[in-house]
Amino acid sequence: MVLVVGAHPQNLSLSLLSRRRDKVETLREAGLEFFVYDAGSQTIPLLKAGVLHLAGTGATPPILAEAQGLPSAVFGISGSRHENGGLLVRADSDIHSLQGLRRRGVGLMPISWHTQFLAAELDAAGMSWREVNAAEIIPATARDAFIQGRLDAIVATDPLYSKIAARVPVRVLVSPGQAFSNRSVYWARRETLRDHPELVRLLLDALIESDRLTLENPQEAAALLGGLNGNSPEEWLPAITSRPWGVEAPHSEFAAEQQAHADIFAKFGLIPARIDATPTVNPTFLAKAA
């Protein structure tokens, strides 16, 4: 059986691996093929429809998938990403804290880590989801509304953050990496992990090697991403150099964070009911990884 790996612009590791032609050919011969698509927000429906078997996103979609009845598990994670950007307001805004966001509009990328980031920060500040007017808006539209002063706040990291900051002065109200660790995660249906462990490990080995190459030569990696999502190599370079590279086993700290945030989602009404996040983490594939 051939397993299909999803690659989209919001997961740079898989985007880079899918553009390394020698790696792609080797993986194809072993039974792994790539499906390249434009928006990470489509990962859950693509997994449900059987278009994808292995995926890479932020940490939020696996929680949402489990809540929707799609039994899945994370088999690899990145380090915590302290990227350029975060929750932005205009420099001349009267908003200076999370409390200042009450009844104000916040733009979030659809079905992404943005929701988990904002929910965790609001909960840590003793606020509820309903106190802010958070809405999922595609990034280009949210950017335009924010720049024109029609949207009070936006979650944006590079390269979108730098594009916004070049147009209008901004302040970063909160950065990812505190209440929310902000990791890339690699995940699949639990039955896929059960039935094809050798192909899962093969993908992990390829990701680890590709990430090593990116860390050693970020300019080459930026050149590979040139044109992706309409961004030039120069625009991709800050995103590449501001994040950690490499893949590790999903550890107990990550599992605890996922459970805590799933509980916040249930409390905020972002998922229908509380879920047990324990089965959504599988550390076994990288237990002996270098």
Side-chain angles (χ1 to χ4, degrees):
M1 177 180 177
V2 173
L3 294 190
V4 180
V5 183
H8 58 84
Q10 288 78 51
N11 186 286
L12 296 190
S13 288
L14 283 170
S15 289
L16 283 163
L17 179 58
S18 71
R19 289 176 170 229
R20 298 188 189 278
R21 295 182 180 179
D22 57 335
K23 307 291 185 187
V24 170
E25 184 57 33
T26 299
L27 291 173
R28 182 183 294 114
E29 291 173 357
L32 289 170
E33 295 184 352
F34 285 92
F35 174 67
V36 178
Y37 56 109
D38 291 336
S41 64
Q42 299 306 297
T43 300
I44 294 175
L46 288 170
L47 282 165
K48 284 183 174 181
V51 175
L52 297 183
H53 301 101
L54 301 166
T57 63
T60 305
I63 294 175
L64 300 179
E66 189 73 16
Q68 294 174 23
L70 183 69
S72 55
V74 173
F75 57 86
I77 61 175
S78 75
S80 181
R81 298 178 310 189
H82 299 266
E83 301 179 89
N84 295 324
L87 178 58
L88 313 180
V89 296
R90 293 169 65 102
D92 58 1
S93 170
D94 62 353
I95 301 169
H96 295 278
S97 68
L98 285 170
Q99 286 75 15
L101 286 174
R102 286 188 172 92
R103 298 177 297 281
R104 309 296 279 272
V106 184
L108 309 174
M109 186 188 305
I111 313 178
S112 76
W113 62 268
H114 291 189
T115 299
Q116 193 171 354
F117 167 47
L118 181 60
E121 292 293 345
L122 290 174
D123 188 68
M127 297 175 64
S128 73
W129 191 258
R130 292 181 178 84
E131 290 183 73
V132 301
N133 295 331
E136 293 186 339
I137 309 171
I138 60 173
T141 302
R143 174 202 63 203
D144 292 345
F146 180 80
I147 288 172
Q148 293 177 31
R150 302 179 186 280
L151 181 64
D152 299 301
I154 184 173
V155 176
T157 53
D158 271 332
L160 183 60
Y161 164 68
S162 290
K163 286 187 172 183
I164 292 172
R167 296 279 302 279
V168 61
V170 299
R171 283 186 283 109
V172 178
L173 205 61
V174 187
S175 297
Q178 299 173 38
F180 169 51
S181 64
N182 190 25
R183 302 174 188 271
S184 289
V185 307
Y186 305 96
W187 58 292
R189 287 176 178 263
R190 291 201 280 275
E191 65 188 48
T192 301
L193 302 183
R194 179 196 66 208
D195 296 342
H196 304 283
E198 70 291 342
L199 289 178
V200 174
R201 183 52 205 259
L202 188 63
L203 174 63
L204 285 169
D205 288 343
L207 276 167
I208 290 169
E209 172 63 11
S210 180
D211 271 15
R212 182 186 65 79
L213 294 173
T214 298
L215 186 62
E216 291 177 354
N217 194 336
Q219 288 79 14
E220 177 191 51
L224 284 173
L225 293 180
L228 182 66
N229 230 23
N231 296 307
S232 68
E234 293 74 23
E235 289 170 326
W236 276 118
L237 191 58
I240 290 172
T241 56
S242 67
R243 64 174 58 199
W245 294 92
V247 187
E248 58 188 86
H251 40 63
S252 58
E253 180 183 345
F254 171 77
E257 180 180 75
Q258 288 293 89
Q259 182 65 68
H261 291 173
D263 291 346
I264 292 172
F265 274 31
K267 180 173 70 173
F268 284 175
L270 297 172
I271 58 177
R274 187 182 186 276
I275 63 168
D276 178 8
T278 304
T280 70
V281 177
N282 185 335
T284 61
F285 292 91
L286 279 168
K288 297 181 180 179

